[in-house]
């Protein structure tokens, strides 16, 4: 049996030689040749999910990324973002959790897909590590990465967390691009990583549906209780700040909820919450648009965003009726 480090540090096969343009297109567009519906729990659905993840692989190499030189203002803006310790450590834990769960799966197709997912999480950590090194961002020492005791729980926490964070990150990334506060070269460098996150949560959503459909019915209540527990845990986790101490004794305060609250750090424009939610929804739809529509998409976070937008519109309407003079002013 492979060690977890072997799972997340070695691809099952070598990537094919393709032009960058073709790779980029294929990483964003994929349809299954299988005819008919792809119902979760069926062999057709499972094989389509695994094939999607193999076919949309992007073979970029973090070790050869040419990090653009930044002007002092942009460099300060990037290095002062309260995310770097958490970002690096999150990817370090994610690669281990994905690998641990892949190791316990018997189905060869899902095992292959999740093993590749673990490898890509490790690559994300490499990208962030290279960025931190390139721009000399001060970091607290990384904690030891320990194999999870409860593998399923750890995998669910990582999967649902990525669904939440990626949804808002799509919007923040678009916001940063539109604001022009970050150089186009840096935006372009991180674009494959953002699309890769889209693939990851596409895989997770379809794994979740497959897992539910194939588990014995008597296990389903406990599993659903765990899913609810994960959402409660994530809500609690995102209410606080993480603090760590670097080697010089300096405290680092990291925002666990940056993907939701970080709009002010990504743009010099005033963006209200409903508009940010709509941007996240639009970007979410855009990034998923190229993949086979028969594959499931994450639904919970987009549904929350739509509820926030609807609630804001309802409140505005009520306020205009209750206080017409003030609203007109």
């Amino acid at each position: 049996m492979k060690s977890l480090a072997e799972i997340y540090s070695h691809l099952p096969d070598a990537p094919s030689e393709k032009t960058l343009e073709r790779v980029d297109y294929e990483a964003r567009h994929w349809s299954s040749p299988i005819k008919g519906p792809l119902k979760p729990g069926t062999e057709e659905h499972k094989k389509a999910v695994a094939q999607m993840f193999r076919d949309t692989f992007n073979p970029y190499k973090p070790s050869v990324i040419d990090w653009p030189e930044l002007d002092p203002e942009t460099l300060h803006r990037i290095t002062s973002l309260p995310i770097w310790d958490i970002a690096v450590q999150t990817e370090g834990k994610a690669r281990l959790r994905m690998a641990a769960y892949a190791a316990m799966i018997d189905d060869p197709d899902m095992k292959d897909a999740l093993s590749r997912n673990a490898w890509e999480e490790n690559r994300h950590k490499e990208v962030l590590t290279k960025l931190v090194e390139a721009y000399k961002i001060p970091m607290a020492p990384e904690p030891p990465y320990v194999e999870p005791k409860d593998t399923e729980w750890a995998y669910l926490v990582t999967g649902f967390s990525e669904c939440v964070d990626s949804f808002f990150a799509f919007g923040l990334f678009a916001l940063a691009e539109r604001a022009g506060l970050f150089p186009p070269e840096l935006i372009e460098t991180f674009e494959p990583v953002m699309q890769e996150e889209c693939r990851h949560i596409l895989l997770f959503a379809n794994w979740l549906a497959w897992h539910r459909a194939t588990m014995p019915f008597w296990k389903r209540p406990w599993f659903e209780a765990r899913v609810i527990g994960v959402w409660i845990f994530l809500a609690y986790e995102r209410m606080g700040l993480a603090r760590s101490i670097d080697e010089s004794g300096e405290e680092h305060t990291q925002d666990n909820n940056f993907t939701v609250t970080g709009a002010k750090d990504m743009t010099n424009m005033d963006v209200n919450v409903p508009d940010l939610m709509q941007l996240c929804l639009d970007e979410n739809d855009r990034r998923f648009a190229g993949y086979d529509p028969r594959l499931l998409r994450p639904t919970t976070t987009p549904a929350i965003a739509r509820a926030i937008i609807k609630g804001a519109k309802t409140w505005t309407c009520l306020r205009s009726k209750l206080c017409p003079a003030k609203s007109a002013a």
Side-chain angles (χ1 to χ4, degrees):
M1 178 181 175
K2 288 184 178 180
S3 70
L4 299 188
E6 286 181 301
I7 291 175
Y8 67 66
S9 60
H10 298 286
L11 275 178
D13 48 35
S16 60
E17 293 294 332
K18 300 176 182 177
T19 65
L20 290 178
E21 292 80 5
R22 183 180 171 195
V23 164
D24 185 69
Y25 181 86
E26 292 184 355
R28 302 163 190 274
H29 301 82
W30 184 87
S31 292
S32 173
I34 299 172
K35 304 298 182 183
L38 296 175
K39 183 179 179 182
T42 63
E43 191 73 8
E44 291 80 9
H45 172 259
K46 181 197 67 174
K47 287 190 175 300
V49 172
Q51 189 66 40
M52 177 278 297
F53 209 73
R54 285 194 298 271
D55 290 349
T56 56
F57 174 76
N58 188 333
Y60 67 87
K61 297 180 180 179
S63 59
V64 296
I65 288 176
D66 185 18
W67 296 100
E69 185 174 345
L70 305 178
D71 62 78
E73 183 181 353
T74 302
L75 181 62
H76 175 72
R77 186 179 300 117
I78 288 176
T79 57
S80 62
L81 291 176
I83 59 172
W84 299 115
D85 288 332
I86 281 182
V88 172
Q89 293 172 24
T90 296
E91 298 296 353
K93 289 185 288 187
R95 64 182 182 179
L96 191 62
R97 292 173 176 181
M98 296 284 181
Y101 195 77
M104 65 179 284
I105 293 181
D106 293 326
D107 184 89
D109 293 311
M110 281 297 178
K111 180 186 285 288
D112 178 76
L114 268 67
S115 296
R116 292 171 185 272
N117 199 163
W119 188 93
E120 291 183 3
E121 298 291 359
N122 186 55
R123 183 168 61 174
H124 286 187
K125 185 178 185 302
E126 289 183 25
V127 171
L128 291 172
T129 300
K130 295 292 184 183
L131 178 144
V132 165
E133 292 174 355
Y135 298 129
K136 297 179 173 57
I137 299 173
M139 300 283 289
E142 293 183 55
Y145 297 108
V146 182
E147 183 176 345
K149 294 181 180 179
D150 188 336
T151 304
E152 182 183 71
W153 172 267
Y155 178 65
L156 288 172
V157 167
T158 297
F160 281 115
S161 181
E162 283 199 329
C163 289
V164 174
D165 291 338
S166 295
F167 175 81
F168 291 107
F170 295 158
L172 291 183
F173 192 75
L175 203 60
E177 185 175 12
R178 294 178 185 183
L181 296 183
F182 300 97
E185 297 87 354
L186 193 60
I187 297 291
E188 185 178 345
T189 295
F190 267 93
E191 175 57 36
V193 179
M194 297 301 298
Q195 192 62 32
E196 207 159 68
E197 289 293 354
C198 180
R199 292 171 56 256
H200 289 183
I201 60 178
L202 183 62
L203 171 62
F204 180 75
N206 284 274
W207 165 85
L208 185 63
W210 169 81
H211 189 58
R212 280 172 165 153
T214 56
M215 73 170 55
F217 74 91
W218 52 270
K219 288 186 176 182
R220 185 71 180 269
W222 172 241
F223 179 77
E224 297 303 338
R226 302 202 90 188
V227 169
I228 294 172
V230 167
W231 280 109
I232 294 173
F233 170 77
L234 292 178
Y236 172 79
E237 181 185 53
R238 279 156 171 71
M239 288 190 295
L241 298 175
R243 290 180 171 84
S244 54
I245 307 297
D246 66 18
E247 294 176 347
S248 63
E250 182 179 349
E251 182 179 77
H252 294 245
T253 301
Q254 303 287 301
D255 189 352
N256 284 322
N257 208 28
F258 180 81
T259 53
V260 180
T261 63
K264 63 182 182 298
D265 295 304
M266 306 301 285
T267 179
N268 53 5
M269 302 180 293
D270 290 330
V271 181
N272 60 40
V273 172
D275 287 345
L276 178 60
M277 295 300 103
Q278 188 59 58
L279 178 59
C280 291
L281 284 168
D282 293 343
E283 284 297 299
N284 188 69
D285 291 343
R286 181 180 71 82
R287 289 192 177 274
F288 278 113
Y291 302 113
D292 197 314
R294 293 173 294 174
L295 295 180
L296 301 177
R297 274 69 167 156
T299 57
T300 303
T301 309
I304 293 173
R306 291 188 185 96
I308 291 173
I309 295 171
K310 185 176 181 180
K313 289 181 178 178
T314 302
W315 169 246
T316 300
C317 182
L318 288 174
R319 189 175 61 176
S320 65
K321 292 178 180 178
L322 294 174
C323 310
K326 185 177 179 181
S327 299

